[in-house]
Amino acid sequence: MSSITITMLGLSGTGKTHACKSLFRMMERENSEHQIFLTADGDTYQEKSENTRLIRDYAPETRDRFTRSGTEGVWELPLALCVNYKKGLPNYPILKIPVLDYAGGIVKTVARGIQDDEDHEAKQNAKKLLDSILEADVLMLLADANILSENPRPDASLDQIKDYIGRDINDIFLNLVELYDSSFINRQRTVILMLTKCDSNLIDPSLSADAYCGLMARAATVFKSILKVCRQYDWPFAVVPTSACGNGNSHTTREDFGRYTSMLDPSVEMKPYGFDLAFLYGLMSELHYRVGHKIDNSATVTHTESLNKKQRGIVEQLSRQEANEKWKLYRELEQFLHGHLDELLHARGGMYILEERSAPFFKQELAEAKGNSLLDKIMDIFSL
């Protein structure tokens, strides 16, 4: 199988672990509403079974309640994608979709350059995260809606918010871009800015109105340097409001700047939203890029050294046929996701993605006649 790698970038407490849990919960076979679903990866029955247990042990709270948070070290969830949108499709996974989760403090270690005086485990974890960023096809940046909503006055400065949630991630991103002969910019990356904890009762109505337009404008301003890079290299960029529990299912109180306590209502069912849209957008834009550029990172496992010329010819012909069938399936999946997301994003009252100066996936009503995007428009409205 080919592989599409997703890496999340977020500080401690921004909700990376719950985002991973919620994504799997929303996209596993029995819950997915999208005619594609996630399952555990594995080349053998034993490996697939072990990975299924690993994922479900990792995310048991997604069944009903979240009872713990926080992550130690670096985890890679071995996920794979299955499709089910018409008859005749494979009943086995067609793509590996590994998702990385890690302790948020590792971001700060990477941001300051992985110093020699770091202990061995900290250095190893930081190197794993840095390698994962370099290998990522889809980068998901996480921003806590509670912090974004601090001091909601229209004339409020965002400097403290930028320093708190944006500085380290912006620095990592820009340092990778600015390296001489940087491998980071030699291909497309899809960048998705996920606003976590949008269920919070602390978000001012002026920021949550119109599907969180004000909050999205603030988030785009905090990560404006990354937005500029995405525009410079024509990388897809999206902003997606999310929640791990659902609006009205929790109560949050503010302690100090950046410190909050959230209590879940024990009588309600968890209703996460947004993570599936972010995932589907990232998957679609990466498939769009790969199909257009004929990029395939699947491992080659065919050994023909011991075969004669006729046998090698047969094997090569079968390999070409398999490759053509795979590209046909990936192209069809990208087109299915295009239509499916277009419908979801323009549904009445639905959450939507703001797509920025990349391939024109969606309806052009998102752009102004002068060429300004909707994101630029709301940033102007909020004077950010």
Side-chain angles (χ1 to χ4, degrees), residues 167-183:
R167 180 181 295 276
D168 290 330
I169 294 174
N170 283 328
D171 284 350
I172 291 171
F173 203 97
L174 293 180
N175 286 340
L176 289 174
V177 167
E178 293 167 1
L179 285 174
Y180 177 73
D181 195 24
S182 174
S183 61

Side-chain angles (χ1 to χ4, degrees), residues 122-332:
K123 287 176 69 174
Q124 290 301 108
N125 286 333
K127 287 178 180 177
K128 285 181 184 177
L129 175 57
L130 183 57
D131 288 343
S132 179
I133 295 169
L134 288 169
E135 295 168 3
D137 304 301
V138 180
L139 281 163
M140 292 184 171
L141 317 180
L142 277 70
D144 189 325
N146 285 310
I147 300 175
L148 286 172
S149 63
E150 291 271 2
N151 193 2
R153 294 197 325 271
D155 60 344
S157 170
L158 298 186
D159 289 345
Q160 190 176 9
I161 295 173
K162 289 179 184 177
D163 286 344
Y164 197 90
I165 64 175
R167 180 181 295 276
D168 290 330
I169 294 174
N170 283 328
D171 284 350
I172 291 171
F173 203 97
L174 293 180
N175 286 340
L176 289 174
V177 167
E178 293 167 1
L179 285 174
Y180 177 73
D181 195 24
S182 174
S183 61
F184 186 65
I185 57 174
N186 66 3
R187 56 147 297 155
Q188 174 183 285
R189 315 277 176 168
T190 298
V191 180
I192 301 172
L193 179 50
M194 294 200 306
L195 313 187
T196 58
K197 309 176 187 177
C198 285
D199 55 89
S200 174
N201 51 281
L202 296 180
I203 301 174
D204 191 89
S206 65
L207 300 176
S208 61
D210 299 322
Y212 301 98
C213 272
L215 206 63
M216 287 191 281
R218 282 193 165 205
T221 302
V222 167
F223 294 98
K224 195 169 185 177
S225 56
I226 294 178
L227 173 58
K228 287 181 178 178
V229 170
C230 291
R231 289 176 168 176
Q232 179 181 353
Y233 293 103
D234 247 359
W235 289 356
F237 180 88
V239 188
V240 188
T242 69
S243 168
C245 62
N247 294 343
N249 292 342
S250 67
H251 182 77
T252 303
T253 55
R254 181 180 283 112
E255 298 175 8
D256 298 312
F257 182 91
R259 295 185 60 189
Y260 310 90
T261 299
S262 184
M263 301 295 294
L264 296 174
D265 184 342
S267 64
V268 299
E269 181 182 355
M270 307 293 286
K271 293 183 179 180
Y273 61 77
F275 303 105
D276 53 342
L277 289 182
F279 169 75
L280 294 175
Y281 179 86
L283 178 61
M284 182 200 66
S285 62
E286 177 61 20
L287 284 172
H288 181 86
Y289 175 76
R290 290 193 185 188
V291 169
H293 293 79
K294 284 290 183 181
I295 295 173
D296 182 12
N297 63 357
S298 57
T300 302
V301 296
T302 303
H303 303 284
T304 61
E305 295 85 354
S306 61
L307 303 180
N308 60 38
K309 184 176 181 180
K310 182 178 180 180
Q311 290 170 330
R312 282 199 297 271
I314 294 172
V315 169
E316 289 171 1
Q317 182 181 4
L318 290 173
S319 297
R320 285 193 296 270
Q321 289 175 354
E322 287 184 355
N324 289 336
E325 287 298 316
K326 180 163 68 172
W327 283 116
K328 180 181 177 183
L329 179 59
Y330 289 170
R331 187 179 300 108
E332 186 181 274

Side-chain angles (χ1 to χ4, degrees), residues 93-106:
I94 64 169
L95 275 168
K96 295 175 182 284
I97 312 281
V99 178
L100 194 78
D101 186 22
Y102 54 89
I106 299 175

